[in-house]
């Protein structure tokens, strides 16, 4: 051993660091972290956080392991492994009728969240406004703020979470750079119809406003309703970064691999940012996913897989005093608890976790102003045993 490397004195903590004014002064611990910690402490069934408690397809795991064993372990091309970009482009062409060029219009990202951040960073400058539709995923506003933009919040309709195009139209100004749209929608479990996507296209047509289309739940749509991607409508596709997540689609949220598609001119700007914050994404996973995508069955059967879980969960909720709101897509189900408690949403979730043993997420957490609607979000991406245990506890309410 090199004795020069050994410091005999006991390890000391760092001295006081220089003052660092926060780039995100309003960001603290999220409700998801808080509720998951509380769920663990109280042994609660965690129906709060949105991830599956079951494993991904062994065939997919084997493809990734085989890619690793066969030596796919060095940096891949910056935009992603070509075979995966080709598979993504083919899938989108088949499902949504839009041909993206795998070389110039498809990029593999470290999950959808990185895709969203990179799209915002390449598009938004100080002084720009970006419209978000609340309630919404919690990464949108910090991404816009990091880019120096201003977040313009427009509410979806109360309790039903449909787009209110009159309200959205009013929010446009000459400074509007982009709008972020999420369908199927977390936490509202709403799937935008073709008419709604067309209304969005009509609203955007006279403008040069960009669209950031968060479609991570694209394969979780129920009751035969299609997912109408921004890629389906020419007026949207020409201005859209369309973002999806393999983590959601293939039950492997921890892998953090997603993809972004956009017209070549927009993608060129996207890649300039991508190159210097991520550069490349885990190589063997990309090779494994490329192989796995050769078989469309796993994603084509996903609606039926989750619809069965949704129906099972909703049937169980009927035996409780919670009122299930509609769930058209995603793996979320909101419930109205007004028959059970007059507490505010966050307090109700804490009480539910500590006293009843089921963790949920307050809808108020998805609004900047924390507005109350008497609704909490539950996640049904769980094994039937987990759902049944949660339902048995909820039935005691
Ligand atoms: C609406 C929405 N967008 C993006 C993400 C993040 O996806 P990823 O894990 O691929 O970053 C989530 C995950 O919860 C989400 O609900």
């Amino acid at each position: 051993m090199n004795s020069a490397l050994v410091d005999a004195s006991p390890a000391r903590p760092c001295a006081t660091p220089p003052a660092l004014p926060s780039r995100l002064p309003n960001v603290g611990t999220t409700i998801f972290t808080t509720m998951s910690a509380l769920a663990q402490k109280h042994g609660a069934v965690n129906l709060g956080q949105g991830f599956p408690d079951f494993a991904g397809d062994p065939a997919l795991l084997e493809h990734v392991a085989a890619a690793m064993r066969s030596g796919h372990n060095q940096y891949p091309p910056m935009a992603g492994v070509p075979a995966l970009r080709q598979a993504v482009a083919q899938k989108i062409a088949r499902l949504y009728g839009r041909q993206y060029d795998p070389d110039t219009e498809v990029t593999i990202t470290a999950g959808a969240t990185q895709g969203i951040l990179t799209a915002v960073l390449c598009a938004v400058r100080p002084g720009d406004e970006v419209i978000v539709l609340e309630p919404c995923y919690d990464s949108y506003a910090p991404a816009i703020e990091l880019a120096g933009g201003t977040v313009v919040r427009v509410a979806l309709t109360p309790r039903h979470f449909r787009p209110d195009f009159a309200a959205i139209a009013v929010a446009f100004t000459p400074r509007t750079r982009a709008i972020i749209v999420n369908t199927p929608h977390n936490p509202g479990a709403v799937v935008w119809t073709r008419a709604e996507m067309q209304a969005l296209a009509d609203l955007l047509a006279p403008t040069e406003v960009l669209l950031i289309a968060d479609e991570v739940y694209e394969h979780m749509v129920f009751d035969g309703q299609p997912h109408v991607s921004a890629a389906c409508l020419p007026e949207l596709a020409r201005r859209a970064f369309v973002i999806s997540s393999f983590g959601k689609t293939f039950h492997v949220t921890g892998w953090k691999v997603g993809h972004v598609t956009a017209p070549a001119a927009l993608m060129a700007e996207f890649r300039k940012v991508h190159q210097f914050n991520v550069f490349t994404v885990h190589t063997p996973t990309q090779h494994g996913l490329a192989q796995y995508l050769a078989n469309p069955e796993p994603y084509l059967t996903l609606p039926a897989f989750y619809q069965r879980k949704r129906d099972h969960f909703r049937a169980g909720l009927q035996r409780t005093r919670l009122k299930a709101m509609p769930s058209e897509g995603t793996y979320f189900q909101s419930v109205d608890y007004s028959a059970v408690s007059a507490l505010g949403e966050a307090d109700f979730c804490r009480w539910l976790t500590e006293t009843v043993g089921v963790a949920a997420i307050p809808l108020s957490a998805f609004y900047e102003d924390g507005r109350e609607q008497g609704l909490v979000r539950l996640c049904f991406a769980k094994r039937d045993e987990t759902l049944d245990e949660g339902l048995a506890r909820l039935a005691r309410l």
Side-chain angles (χ1 to χ4, degrees), residues 22 57 62 76 85 155 205 236 249 265-266 333 335 341 360 366 377:
S22 180
D57 185 346
E62 185 44 40
R85 282 185 276 135
L236 295 181
T249 302
L266 299 183
Q333 169 69 64
V335 293
S341 167
F366 297 86
R377 189 197 76 178

Side-chain angles (χ1 to χ4, degrees), residues 111-113 116 137 140 182 186 214 216-217 245 248 253 256 332:
T113 310
I116 294 162
Y137 183 55
Y140 301 163
N182 170 220
N186 171 23
D214 179 350
V216 299
Y217 300 103
S245 169
K248 301 284 180 195
T253 57
K256 297 296 288 186
F332 298 116

